[in-house]
Amino acid sequence: MRLCASLLLILLSGTANAENIKPFTSDGCSSFPDGTIQHKKLWLACCTAHDYAYWQGGTYEERLKADKVLQQCVADVGEIHIANLMLAGVRIGGSPFIPTTFRWGYGWSYPRLYQALTADEVEQITALKTELTKSDQGLVVKN
């Protein structure tokens, strides 16, 4: 009986530990241009901020909000049609159900799917002290 209880305790303690998030990475606008021919990085900052949200993951509602923020950001640089096209692209291609490097929650191991971040996971993200700062090349990530 004690052996069973000990084994159960060991198994539970192993599953209670949260996974560690991988360091933040961004591929810009993934499989999409980062800007126009004249302004090659026009909406790159929008994509980097969007990647930061996707890296963390979270709920379905948080993903929808991140996608709409991307759309508004690109529209704000004067590219309304591109913004709408990008929204359609990320809604289809950014699903957490597809094991891509740019899926929702890509900082975590696949499959992450939709789930709220735990307090421990938020602490991990905060501990990385990742700062997004604007530069002429978009957002720069500093750890």
Side-chain angles (χ1 to χ4, degrees):
M1 182 71 159
R2 251 184 222 181
L3 180 61
C4 288
S6 297
L7 287 174
L8 182 61
L9 186 60
I10 290 169
L11 286 174
L12 289 176
S13 67
T15 58
N17 293 333
E19 175 190 3
N20 291 326
I21 193 167
K22 297 171 197 81
F24 174 70
T25 60
S26 175
D27 62 357
C29 297
S30 299
S31 299
F32 198 85
D34 295 334
T36 65
I37 293 171
Q38 296 84 11
H39 304 284
K40 296 193 183 318
K41 296 181 181 182
L42 184 59
W43 52 76
L44 176 59
C46 302
C47 293
T48 305
H50 186 252
D51 283 356
Y52 192 72
Y54 264 56
W55 166 72
Q56 294 177 63
T59 65
Y60 175 85
E61 292 77 17
E62 289 168 324
R63 177 176 171 226
L64 183 59
K65 180 181 177 189
D67 292 346
K68 293 205 176 245
V69 167
L70 171 67
Q71 179 188 30
Q72 187 60 56
C73 183
V74 176
D76 288 347
V77 299
E79 297 293 339
I80 295 169
H81 297 299
I82 296 293
N84 293 335
L85 183 63
M86 289 176 84
L87 177 62
V90 296
R91 293 307 301 160
I92 295 166
S95 169
F97 302 106
I98 305 168
T100 62
T101 59
F102 48 81
R103 72 184 184 282
W104 180 248
Y106 71 84
W108 308 100
S109 296
Y110 180 82
R112 171 67 183 197
L113 309 182
Y114 294 112
Q115 64 186 62
L117 295 170
T118 66
D120 180 63
E121 291 167 341
V122 171
E123 279 184 39
Q124 286 186 51
I125 292 165
T126 303
L128 291 175
K129 296 184 181 167
T130 302
E131 296 176 12
L132 298 178
T133 56
K134 276 199 169 203
S135 77
D136 57 345
Q137 281 130 354
L139 294 182
V140 176
V141 180
K142 294 183 179 180
N143 288 336

